[in-house]
Amino acid sequence: MIIQLEKQISRSAKAKLDQALQAIKYSTTEVKTQFGSYLIGIGKSEFDIRTIGNLEGIRDIHRVSDAYKLVSTKWKIGKTNIDLGDGVSVGNGAFQIMAGPCSIESEEQVISVLEHLKENDIKVMRGGVYKPRSSPYSFRGLGIPGLEFWYKQAKAYGIKIVTEVMQVSQIEAMLPYVDIFQVGARNSQNFNLLDELGKVDKPVLLKRGISGTIDELLQAAEYIFSNGNEKIMLCERGIRSYESAYRNTLDLNAVTILKDKSHLPVIVDPSHGIGVRKYVSKMALAGVITGADGVIAEVHPIPEKAFSDGQQTLNYSEAEKLYRNIHKTRKLYQEL
Ligand code: PEP
Ligand code: MN
């Protein structure tokens, strides 16, 4: 059960509500976000919803029996639009392309990518300064110094930054430079990290775990929301399957299902989703047709020389063709 509270609920009204919930043996968790105050009630007994809904200080009450609640469509009318600042937003009809290299490598590379994005009217640049790598001997990112020069350049171009945070201790130092925190697939169920990102007033792009179910992704998002941050994007980036002809299985079923089960925007990552450069663009378009609110794609000036994930990274001309086709496909989707 979700109880939406009035912003200024009085102490006596709160006490009456607590009493009513105790009477039906519901335990509660209070949630305060940037946008609202909620009480999450967990219990088994049947009761007349009006006995609580009619109490003073309550805006609305909803029965939501799924394990995830605040991220569910079952209580919220309409879809969530996340404001990224400067007139850029995502969700509820607003679509964004996020593009850039797997890893931030140099200031020169950053400027080249920003120039490319600007020319193509793309508002968000992706890139990693903390890279989760299977081998400890692979390039693991430039860390804060890389983020600093990236931020300086991105600001000058008026382009937003989405980048991965791998652990709680990195949040504070990254905070001034980041527009969207990415939680990578390997950290999708790092509940301590999710808790802390819930306390930050910055959007979070939450990727699905390598072997994560749709339900687990939604519950991971619930961690962020229930800690106070409603600005969450869900990202389908492919799951591990038995197939070896490609890197991951981009689960486009999940896009339609997530859009149905949650009011949060859904972003498709075709680069990690299939992991093979020549197939990436078509999978991106398939993601758009399934209703994604955005695409995040790996793009590099010279993919063959990329420090990481070059095999799935588009060059500028491939990327430009993809952007044009995304806009066309988006129009087609809107007509469906
Ligand atoms: C990335 O975006 O480069 C990345 C490491 O993604 P994922 O967590 O989906 O593997
Ligand atoms: Mn990558």
Side-chain angles (χ1 to χ4, degrees):
M1 170 170 62
I2 298 174
I3 303 169
Q4 277 178 274
L5 303 175
E6 297 288 1
K7 268 248 146 92
Q8 304 300 344
I9 183 169
S10 69
R11 225 180 252 190
S12 66
K14 188 77 200 314
K16 277 192 194 134
L17 174 60
D18 287 342
Q19 236 174 17
L21 289 163
Q22 267 171 29
I24 56 168
K25 296 195 170 61
Y26 268 58
S27 67
T28 55
T29 305
E30 208 168 335
V31 173
K32 267 194 182 24
T33 72
Q34 307 102 331
F35 307 123
S37 297
Y38 313 85
L39 216 55
I40 307 303
I42 309 284
K44 288 202 179 74
S45 67
E46 287 294 321
F47 66 97
D48 182 347
I49 200 162
R50 291 167 299 184
T51 58
I52 294 186
N54 287 337
L55 292 173
E56 193 191 321
I58 289 170
R59 276 178 59 184
D60 217 340
I61 178 164
H62 319 263
R63 276 190 211 280
V64 185
S65 54
D66 301 308
Y68 52 89
K69 299 187 188 299
L70 288 160
V71 304
S72 166
T73 31
K74 288 196 181 144
W75 71 277
K76 190 169 173 179
I77 304 162
K79 295 283 187 183
T80 290
N81 173 264
I82 300 174
D83 184 3
L84 304 175
D86 305 313
V88 183
S89 75
V90 63
N92 194 26
F95 187 94
Q96 291 301 331
I97 298 173
M98 308 175 191
C102 180
S103 301
I104 297 300
E105 299 167 3
S106 67
E107 193 156 1
E108 195 189 358
Q109 175 222 32
V110 160
I111 294 170
S112 166
V113 173
L114 284 165
E115 200 65 52
H116 158 82
L117 298 181
K118 189 88 186 165
E119 275 166 25
N120 289 284
D121 200 28
I122 289 170
K123 307 286 196 306
V124 185
M125 176 169 165
R126 63 143 290 141
V129 296
Y130 293 115
K131 296 304 304 174
R133 303 306 300 275
S134 300
S135 163
Y137 308 116
S138 302
F139 176 66
R140 292 167 72 180
L142 297 178
I144 295 293
L147 190 53
E148 278 169 350
F149 68 67
W150 181 14
Y151 172 79
K152 185 183 76 190
Q153 296 297 342
K155 259 267 176 255
Y157 280 85
I159 288 176
K160 314 266 167 220
I161 286 178
V162 54
T163 194
E164 177 165 354
V165 54
M166 285 179 61
Q167 57 183 39
V168 172
S169 62
Q170 293 164 347
I171 296 175
E172 202 180 321
M174 292 174 79
L175 198 59
Y177 308 113
V178 170
D179 297 294
I180 304 168
F181 278 109
Q182 175 175 317
V183 176
R186 292 152 193 82
N187 265 315
S188 194
Q189 284 190 307
N190 179 340
F191 301 120
N192 294 326
L193 182 61
L194 302 176
D195 277 343
E196 291 311 307
L197 290 170
K199 294 170 192 157
V200 163
D201 190 16
K202 290 263 169 112
V204 177
L205 181 112
L206 172 63
K207 290 203 174 190
R208 182 177 181 184
I210 288 173
S211 302
T213 64
I214 292 172
D215 207 81
E216 283 166 343
L217 176 60
L218 290 166
Q219 291 194 66
E222 189 80 15
Y223 267 86
I224 302 171
F225 200 130
S226 63
N227 275 280
N229 188 357
E230 297 198 18
K231 299 176 189 169
I232 309 159
M233 290 162 244
L234 304 169
C235 181
E236 167 56 41
R237 50 78 71 201
I239 46 175
R240 181 162 290 179
S241 75
Y242 51 79
E243 184 52 69
S244 59
Y246 44 73
R247 185 177 180 187
N248 290 303
T249 299
L250 183 65
D251 178 10
L252 293 175
N253 297 345
V255 178
T256 44
I257 290 173
L258 287 168
K259 292 280 297 179
D260 185 38
K261 289 190 182 291
S262 177
H263 52 82
L264 298 172
V266 177
I267 310 296
V268 164
D269 175 349
S271 308
H272 297 87
I274 190 156
V276 185
R277 184 172 164 189
K278 65 179 171 184
Y279 306 131
V280 164
S281 295
K282 288 197 176 96
M283 296 316 291
L285 300 178
V288 175
I289 273 297
T290 50
D293 301 284
V295 166
I296 185 165
E298 287 183 336
V299 175
H300 189 285
I302 312 168
E304 297 75 10
K305 292 199 173 159
F307 289 8
S308 56
D309 282 353
Q311 83 291 343
Q312 63 192 30
T313 298
L314 304 178
N315 64 27
Y316 292 159
S317 72
E318 289 165 330
E320 276 163 17
K321 187 172 176 204
L322 173 61
Y323 307 147
R324 285 194 299 276
N325 283 329
I326 286 178
H327 296 306
K328 284 190 208 156
T329 310
R330 179 76 186 152
K331 281 209 183 83
L332 176 60
Y333 168 74
Q334 283 163 331
E335 284 164 21
L336 293 179

